[in-house]
Amino acid sequence: MAKKYHLEDLLLLMERLRDPDTGCPWDIQQTFASIVPYTIEEAYEVADAIAREDYPHLMDELGDLLFQVIFYARMGQEQQLFDFKDVVDNLVTKLIRRHPHVFPEGTLTSRRNIDQVISEQSIKETWERIKQEERAAKNARTDSSSPVHWLDDLPLTLPALKRAHKLQKRAAQVGFDWDSPAPVLEKIREEVAELEEAMESGLKAEVLSELGDLMFACANLARHLGSDAETVVSQANTKFQRRFDGVEDLLSQQGRSLDEATLEQMESFWQQVKVFEKEN
């Protein structure tokens, strides 16, 4: 059996790639900021492999994502900010702190009483309470004259719909929320009316602003329905592609391409595909 590489080998590989004399020119010139787009892309490729249930490919994508972490850790070490051991130590410490129901004594070796019944709701409440305590401690350490706000630590670089969900959820923790989906739906109707009014005005900036408000309200409705807008839109994307592929297949059966079809013909096939899906 061939020798399998381990984590220490990966750390050594990264060190060799970043060696200023004998390393890879591309890897040497990278910075924290320059590899962020690659990190985001790798995270999406992990999610895509899971969505497709392509588990051999998932193993490969997880490796690519891990390499991003190793890359950041190496640059942190070079700048004497932190190293990979610091990353691991901070992570383990944080997760032990956030799981007192598993590590009651605050150590990795401590174990909870197996007879103790723990509800999922209590776990969520404890998790949120500890995260709030962590945010308060972090804010107390911040050397800034600027006021610290409740929503400050939500990443600006999140996908817009995902960030909308998190903003709304965080605001709800202090009571700024509706108590059911119905008033959210009414808010959507209000936003649609405001969008129509803006479109009549012909002012593009106003139209886009109102459209953004409408999408934000839709994200809120998804949250109140127990999902999130990112997931809902992703499912809608999948459904649209599946149906459009069906339109293309029906055209192909007639010896025609999409370029040769009229909008009316494509719409007719679209309705056929929808009926077929409902019947099957």
Side-chain angles (χ1 to χ4, degrees):
M1 179 181 291
K3 174 185 179 295
K4 285 196 173 184
Y5 292 111
H6 298 284
L7 181 58
E8 292 301 322
D9 298 311
L10 182 56
L11 292 168
L12 175 60
L13 180 146
M14 189 72 251
E15 179 183 346
R16 293 284 305 278
L17 289 175
R18 290 279 295 183
D19 187 292
D21 297 319
T22 61
C24 170
W26 186 89
D27 290 285
I28 293 169
Q29 70 180 5
Q30 299 311 307
T31 65
F32 286 120
S34 71
I35 65 171
V36 166
Y38 301 100
T39 307
I40 295 171
E41 181 179 340
E42 297 299 353
Y44 275 116
E45 289 180 357
V46 166
D48 183 68
I50 292 172
R52 297 175 187 273
E53 298 184 358
D54 185 355
Y55 299 117
H57 192 202
L58 174 60
M59 178 191 70
D60 186 51
E61 296 300 344
L62 287 171
D64 291 343
L65 187 57
L66 173 59
F67 182 73
Q68 298 295 306
V69 176
I70 298 296
F71 213 142
Y72 288 116
R74 180 63 197 178
M75 290 188 289
Q77 182 177 344
E78 292 167 357
Q79 298 178 38
Q80 298 183 336
L81 300 172
F82 55 83
D83 61 18
F84 185 73
K85 290 181 180 178
D86 295 324
V87 174
V88 173
D89 178 70
N90 182 72
L91 175 61
V92 173
T93 300
K94 178 172 63 178
L95 291 178
I96 290 174
R97 181 175 63 248
R98 290 183 179 179
H99 293 81
H101 52 288
V102 179
F103 311 104
E105 298 173 16
T107 66
L108 191 58
T109 56
S110 63
R111 294 179 179 274
R112 72 175 179 87
N113 184 344
I114 60 174
D115 295 327
Q116 181 184 4
V117 178
I118 303 173
S119 69
E120 183 177 347
Q121 181 60 32
S122 68
I123 292 173
K124 289 181 179 179
E125 290 173 354
T126 300
W127 179 273
E128 290 299 332
R129 174 180 56 79
I130 293 173
K131 287 183 67 176
Q132 289 182 28
E133 292 171 353
E134 291 172 354
R135 286 195 292 269
K138 180 180 178 180
N139 292 339
R141 294 193 301 268
T142 302
D143 297 326
S144 173
S145 58
S146 301
V148 177
H149 296 100
W150 183 247
L151 304 176
D152 277 351
D153 62 336
L154 293 173
L156 295 171
T157 52
L158 284 171
L161 290 175
K162 178 65 70 174
R163 189 163 189 269
H165 179 93
K166 287 186 172 292
L167 286 167
Q168 294 160 359
K169 183 179 178 182
R170 179 72 65 81
Q173 291 175 3
V174 290
F176 193 74
D177 197 13
W178 283 292
D179 58 5
S180 71
V184 187
L185 190 58
E186 184 58 36
K187 179 64 176 177
I188 289 175
R189 295 190 182 100
E190 176 186 323
E191 297 296 352
V192 169
E194 292 179 0
L195 175 59
E196 291 175 339
E197 183 178 339
M199 291 177 69
E200 290 175 0
S201 74
L203 298 175
K204 184 175 181 180
E206 185 67 19
V207 170
L208 295 180
S209 176
E210 294 299 342
L211 178 59
D213 291 345
L214 174 58
M215 295 173 73
F216 189 83
C218 288
N220 207 1
L221 180 60
R223 181 177 63 88
H224 274 270
L225 294 175
S227 185
D228 66 89
E230 197 75 30
T231 299
V232 171
V233 175
S234 178
Q235 291 169 345
N237 289 342
T238 299
K239 180 170 62 177
F240 176 86
Q241 181 175 354
R242 183 180 66 245
R243 289 178 175 176
F244 196 79
D245 289 347
V247 170
E248 189 173 9
D249 291 341
L250 289 174
L251 284 168
S252 179
Q253 290 171 16
Q254 294 187 355
R256 288 184 292 168
S257 67
L258 290 168
D259 292 336
E260 298 169 331
T262 65
L263 175 59
E264 290 74 16
Q265 290 169 334
M266 287 190 284
E267 174 62 25
S268 175
F269 284 144
W270 178 273
Q271 295 301 327
Q272 289 183 42
V273 171
K274 287 180 63 177
V275 170
F276 179 80
E277 285 185 352
K278 289 180 180 179
E279 293 177 347
N280 295 272

